[in-house]
Amino acid sequence: MKASQIDLFFWYNKYIGGDILVAGVLVEISHQSVDRIFDYLIPDSLLDDVLIGGRVVVPFGKMTLEGFVLEIKDHKDTDVELKEIIEVVDRDVVLTEELLSLGKEIQKTTLATLISCYQVMLPKALKAKNGKRVSIRYDTYYHLNPSFDSSIKLTSTQSKIIDFVREKGEVLRKELIDISASAVSTLVKKKLLMEEKREHYRFQSMIYREEKKKLTDDQRRAVEEVLSHPNQTFLLYGVTGSGKTEVYMEIIEHYLNLGKTSIVLVPEISLTPQMVKRFQSRFGEKIAALHSGLSDGEKYDEWRRIYRGEVSIVIGARSAIFAPLPNIGVIIVDEEHSDSYKQSDPNPRYQAKDLAIWRSHYHQCSVVFGSATPSLESMARAQKGVYYFVSLPNRVNGKELPPVKIIDMNQVMRQNRGYFSQELLFGIETRMKKSEQVILLLNRRGYSSFVTCKNCGFTFKCPNCDITLTYHKSSNTLRCHYCGYADKVHDICPECKEKSLSNLGIGTQKIEEEISENFPTCRILRMDYDTTSRKGMHEKMITAFQNHEYDILLGTQMVAKGLDFSCVTLVGVINADTSLNIPDFRSSENTFSLLSQVAGRSGRSNRDGEVIIQTFNPEHYAIHYASKHDYFSFYQEEMKIRRQLKYPPYYYLCNVRISGKDANYLFDEALKIKKSLERNLEGVILLGPSVATIFKVNNIYRYHILLKYKDSKNLYPIFMKIINHYRQNTKIKIDIDFNPSQIM
Ligand code: ADP
Ligand code: ZN
């Protein structure tokens, strides 16, 4: 927003005609029973400061609460005597008109409380619950008083300060107190120096500038296609290393030159420091990066920079979709297949991609979803023409994608006990001799709570849902989390008849030890959630690996994403299977995507790359097509299965979670809920109630009912009825998750 627009906004807020008296306030208690507007009088002293979308402090029963002002009116609707607003929280943090209506949209589509929809829009630092409020930081500047009384006698130190300030015109306090703090305050007291406080934003600007690259023909064509079709949602399919980031930046620059703003969503910003750096170095101070690594103060400052129109580009994870930017030209969602764009808990369980589209309608702008492995939902929409399809089929350097070798671990396990095949060991050895680098992926997505045969790789699946059965220790059973199917635990593998069933789960530490045994001088960098939990560690590790301080980068999922190292010529996947066994209908898709992404880390520069995938399921189509870099065949195969089993994108899913302390009571109520859904809905498939993946957490039991449906319209009123029915019931909690990213 430009300064003039902000003025207009304040003016609009103030001038609603005549005497402004009453503010409709939504208080910050997330409960259905108080999720509505309460009226308060605006005292005269606050007339200028109470803004629509702003936050105020109000008395509420015996409490004092914060709330959002949603309306200002010149009359009251009741005879009840209204209480007065106590104070205004922060004039600088105001939800725009657009965000206020977006909040209502989120409420409608997630069935969350409206207040939670507004709370989720603001950085945590700005929320009332946080207790202490983040302060604005000021810098103090000094300049000479123009009506300087030259008759005043000065000490030599004081003269020195005066001369210094005269020469510079204006000096920061830091510089002056190095000379003498006491002299400075004396000069201020004598009115020779004038003091001025100015806001100081906490953010680091970049010194290094990235040069613009000359686009390849493919990239140029992709950019032109996006720019020549305004107000569209695009699916940009680009193989790993095809230069999607460069395409994003070019599109953004185009809109920047038109005076428009952009939002870039990335999966988890702490995992994509390289990408953020590239944006920062190209666009400098025009960019605000919102990520979890920022302190509360930094977040507060970034938000205000955006709100004041001082920033043109916002890059951040899921919640950056709420950036209060005006005049948006394009919204980019990188790695659009990532499940991090869906908020699972707590409610509002929104999908940032849907909100991107909503905002694009509001701003009449475009949305670009980019990925090397688009989600099935997005690709299906592209095929139907709902999204405009753009592709980058080649790598920037013109090289082929690296060849992938699949190693059958069933054979390896029979020969030795370790986790490494001879091929992978040999591959590592060759790279060490040539001083090249290796990335090893330990696939730990999911849980070890499934049973697998160590001999043949067999896992138990639900006959109804094709979902891996989860092991329940307490009852010693295998259960399906979708439909509730249960089976007893077997000793003998039904496939190979060996007695070698077990829970599988390996840690990065064990793998690290095994590499060290084989290559004692090899420098291994272990990257997982344990070693990167400290702030800034992840970035440090990436830099260290980039500087070739290590030979092998060993890690979990996080090594697969968006990294661009030129010396990496071998990528090894130690266990491709674990993610296939997650009890989730997307497990094949997620595995395909993970393998494709990690394979894309190899051979990105001039040197030839190679990929080795170890697996117990060498014939599985997800692994097979990933090894061929064949997204489209995978897509077709997976679509057939989705159609057969009535999963997305053929049907929408909705998960109703029913939780509480009394398992028997819950199950009875869950049955009643299912019956009432059955009675009221037509054409909806209902599964369950079944126990959740983690049935009992902190003595809270969880059941769920799964709905497969084509049209959501009739769902909302029924769900609202159910929610309202249990509103005052403390024994049961109902959570509804539309299009869940996981069903747990
Ligand atoms: P993707 O995100 O599609 O995997 P990137 O955007 O990370 O690919 O690009 C891969 C590499 O190619 C990066 O190192 C990038 O700097 C480089 N690159 C991208 N476009 C060009 C270009 N037009 N000319 C030269 N190098 C490029
Ligand atoms: Zn089932």
Side-chain angles (χ1 to χ4, degrees), residues 462-467 469 480-485:
C462 172
N464 310 318
C465 307
D466 196 32
I467 294 299
L469 297 176
C480 171
H481 293 299
Y482 283 21
C483 71
Y485 171 88

Side-chain angles (χ1 to χ4, degrees), residues 238-241 244 267 334-338 370-374 395 439 441 557 559-563 571 573 589-602 604 611 626 629:
V239 300
T240 53
K244 291 184 286 296
D334 189 34
E335 312 282 3
E336 70 86 31
H337 59 276
S338 165
S371 176
T373 53
R395 281 191 153 182
I439 291 180
L441 169 73
Q557 274 47 26
V559 302
K561 284 180 190 156
L563 301 177
V571 165
V573 179
E589 182 181 355
N590 290 335
T591 302
F592 175 83
S593 156
L594 176 66
L595 295 179
S596 306
Q597 298 283 344
V598 75
R601 304 305 121 214
S602 182
R604 287 171 77 91
V611 180
H629 306 289

